[in-house]
């Protein structure tokens, strides 16, 4: 970890009291090691021999050849200064190497601070006394020791920076937009005094940096404030609407996977067949149909004409989930089916699949254990992107079926603009997509051992 500049400074700051104590002990112990004595002896030996003179002549010739090659003209004083600097660097490097080799011959080594730290950690009393002031540092060390935990921890840190960046960008756009929240909410009959009072209550009359800081501070404290319209607590509102969108997205995802994966695999096994052409044509139609049009057609036929299903969403009636789930899952099903077909079709002609067949494995074992598993990486990528988009707010589908989810909530608040509500929606979307991306990357490692190997090396 000390070789990584970021982790080195993080460890220094998080364990500052402990690092200070270890540093003092290390400086005291280092005075007793043989490095200084051996270094002094080696330096006297080098200076007493012709090493410096021979090295100076060698470097002088190299420096002159360099200047001739690049056609550089330098003054004699400048040339002498470059030669002295180069000679000092070379001499110091040679001195360090020879001192280390001499100590190694004697079975010794130069005491470093991490060596002192390791020796102290081996003592139970030091470990017990350092737990409280160094708990954060030990936590970082523990996370770094596990490749998967380290990866998740780093992605969480990246997510924090992404959230802050997105929040700053969105707030700046809303601040610069020509919309006037006070006039939109109070109406055209509002007086200037009423608009000024509204802006003062919600802090809209404050400078840009003050408003930005208040919003960023609210995001960090999970306090997104009150919405302009309705005076609702934004955090509580998002928490109330999130399960509806989550349920809709999860059911749509499961339905898409159950239908798309078998269709894609069978189409890859039987390319250019009637089955392949038929289902890939249907998948193309599914990708081309807009959600709002499909939803309206479903309502017109299954709700108004046939009266089989309710036209609007009702949490108490599970039948009202059928049409929204199908509409939301149609595009995902088509995308996953086409990706499954192309990815599986690519791997079934690889040498390792032919080798598996030559070993006498059944076609089912070959497909499931060798072909499909290696074809899952791009499929998981598509599923993760689509699922993240659905969790970010299936606004069109929710609007068509009158679902009070996060998608329709964010869209409604954009036209005011209700800055606290929009910021809450943006933060939710950024967190959701980041979490989905982390899960997708972990699935990569679970499926492909090459990914696990790279994660451990990283």
């Amino acid at each position: 970890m000390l070789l990584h500049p970021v982790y080195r400074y993080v460890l220094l700051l998080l364990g500052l009291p402990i690092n200070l104590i270890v540093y003092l002990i290390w400086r005291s112990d280092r005075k007793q090691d043989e490095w200084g004595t051996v270094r002094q002896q080696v330096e006297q030996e080098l200076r007493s021999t012709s090493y410096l003179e021979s090295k100076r002549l060698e470097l002088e010739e190299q420096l002159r050849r360099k200047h001739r090659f690049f056609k550089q003209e330098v003054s004699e004083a400048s040339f002498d200064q470059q030669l002295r600097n180069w000679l000092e660097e070379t001499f110091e490097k040679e001195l360090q190497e020879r001192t280390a080799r001499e100590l190694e011959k004697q079975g010794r080594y130069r005491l470093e601070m991490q060596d002192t730290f390791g020796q102290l950690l081996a003592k139970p009393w030091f470990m017990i006394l350092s737990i409280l002031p160094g708990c954060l540092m030990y936590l970082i060390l523990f996370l770094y020791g596990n490749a998967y935990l380290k990866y998740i921890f780093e992605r969480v840190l990246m997510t924090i920076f992404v959230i802050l960046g997105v929040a700053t960008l969105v707030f700046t756009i809303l601040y610069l937009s020509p919309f006037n929240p006070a006039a939109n909410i109070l109406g055209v009959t509002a007086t200037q005094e009423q608009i000024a009072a509204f802006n003062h209550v919600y802090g809209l009359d404050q400078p840009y940096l003050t408003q930005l800081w208040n919003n960023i501070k609210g995001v960090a404290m999970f306090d997104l404030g009150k919405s302009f319209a309705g005076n609702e607590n934004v955090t509580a509102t998002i928490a109330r609407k999130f399960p509806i969108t989550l349920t809709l997205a999860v059911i749509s995802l499961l339905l898409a996977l159950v239908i798309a994966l078998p269709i894609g695999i069978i189409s890859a096994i039987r390319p250019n067949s009637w089955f392949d052409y038929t289902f890939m044509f249907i998948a193309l139609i599914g990708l081309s149909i807009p959600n709002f049009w499909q939803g309206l057609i479903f309502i017109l036929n299954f709700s108004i004409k046939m009266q089989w299903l309710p036209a609007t969403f009702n949490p108490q009636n599970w039948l009202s989930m059928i049409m929204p789930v199908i509409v939301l899952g149609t595009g995902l099903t088509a995308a996953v089916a086409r990706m499954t077909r192309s990815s599986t079709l690519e791997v079934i002609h690889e040498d390792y699949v032919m080798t598996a067949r030559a070993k006498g494995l059944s076609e089912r074992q070959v497909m499931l254990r060798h072909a499909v598993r290696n074809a899952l990486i791009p499929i998981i990528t598509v599923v993760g992107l689509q699922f993240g988009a659905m969790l970010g707010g299936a606004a069109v589908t929710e609007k068509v079926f009158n679902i009070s989810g996060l998608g329709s909530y964010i869209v409604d608040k954009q036209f005011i603009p209700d800055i606290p509500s929009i910021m809450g929606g943006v933060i939710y979307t950024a967190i959701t997509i980041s979490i989905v991306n982390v899960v997708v990357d972990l699935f990569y490692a679970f499926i492909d051992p090459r990914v696990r190997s790279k994660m451990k090396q990283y």
Side-chain angles (χ1 to χ4, degrees), residues 397-410:
T397 304
E398 291 179 358
K399 276 295 185 182
V400 170
F401 293 98
N402 195 27
I403 300 175
S404 182
L406 275 171
S408 58
Y409 173 76
I410 296 173

Side-chain angles (χ1 to χ4, degrees), residues 78-93:
S78 177
F79 180 85
D80 291 340
Q81 183 63 38
Q82 292 180 21
L83 181 60
R84 281 196 299 270
N85 293 339
W86 199 359
L87 182 61
E88 289 176 3
E89 292 177 4
T90 306
F91 179 77
E92 183 63 27
K93 182 178 179 181

